[in-house]
Amino acid sequence: ILRWGTHIMKRLIVLFGHSECGKSQTLNLLSSLIQSKGGAPMSPPIVCYGDRLETFRYNDQIISICPGGDNVDIIKHNFAYAYAQHADILITASRSRGNGPTYINDEATKQGITIEWYKKSNECHLSLITQKLCNKEFAEVILKTL
């Protein structure tokens, strides 16, 4: 198990789905919700591969949110970022296919991290406003698990 002193990451929340289904938008909304509920930023956000990686102290936990997950290199970077932040929980996106989900499963198994998979999809024929509302509701669902 990868330890930072006595610290061990406990949970991994993965929002997965096909491209352009709102994974990153949902996780960005989750970051905003955490801040609005009193989550304290642990450090300034960093931009990596076009996405904003952020870490918060919320409900006595350190939570890293990494909205990118288009390929395995981005996902590897998300894990490295969360480990460096001493996160209790990593919340990341992943495509449904490719090497990303395999890497996530392998890393979680190797480190003894519990994974929670949430499937995200973009329903056909929804207006942009309705899709944004769905993303917000999904972010609220994840927030309740924290």
Side-chain angles (χ1 to χ4, degrees), residues 7 31 34-35 38-46 53-65 81-89:
H7 183 81
S31 290
I34 287 174
Q35 282 188 319
M42 297 292 294
S43 60
I46 66 165
L53 284 59
E54 297 182 272
T55 298
F56 303 94
R57 180 171 295 282
Y58 181 74
N59 286 345
D60 294 322
Q61 302 174 99
I62 298 173
I63 302 168
S64 289
I65 301 177
Y81 169 80
Y83 290 143
Q85 296 294 316
H86 302 195
D88 298 307
I89 301 171

Side-chain angles (χ1 to χ4, degrees), residues 9-134:
M9 188 184 304
K10 298 169 190 73
R11 287 175 66 196
L12 173 60
I13 297 172
V14 182
L15 190 59
F16 73 100
H18 56 82
S19 65
E20 302 299 322
C21 70
K23 299 179 300 291
S24 293
Q25 293 86 350
T26 298
L27 295 184
N28 287 328
L29 287 167
L30 178 61
S31 290
S32 296
L33 283 170
I34 287 174
Q35 282 188 319
S36 74
K37 302 287 184 184
M42 297 292 294
S43 60
I46 66 165
V47 176
C48 181
Y49 296 102
D51 288 296
R52 191 178 73 233
L53 284 59
E54 297 182 272
T55 298
F56 303 94
R57 180 171 295 282
Y58 181 74
N59 286 345
D60 294 322
Q61 302 174 99
I62 298 173
I63 302 168
S64 289
I65 301 177
C66 302
D70 288 342
N71 61 53
V72 72
D73 291 333
I74 294 171
I75 292 169
K76 286 179 182 180
H77 189 272
N78 293 348
F79 271 92
Y81 169 80
Y83 290 143
Q85 296 294 316
H86 302 195
D88 298 307
I89 301 171
L90 166 59
I91 303 172
T92 187
S94 174
R95 291 273 176 91
S96 301
R97 298 182 191 169
N99 293 332
T102 300
Y103 178 83
I104 289 168
N105 278 318
D106 291 349
E107 184 69 10
T109 299
K110 181 172 69 176
Q111 302 299 341
I113 304 168
T114 301
I115 308 176
E116 299 161 41
W117 295 91
Y118 290 85
K119 183 173 173 114
K120 182 75 175 73
S121 64
N122 190 4
E123 302 304 325
C124 296
H125 310 297
L126 289 182
S127 71
L128 185 58
I129 293 169
T130 303
Q131 188 61 48
K132 285 182 179 182
L133 288 171
C134 289

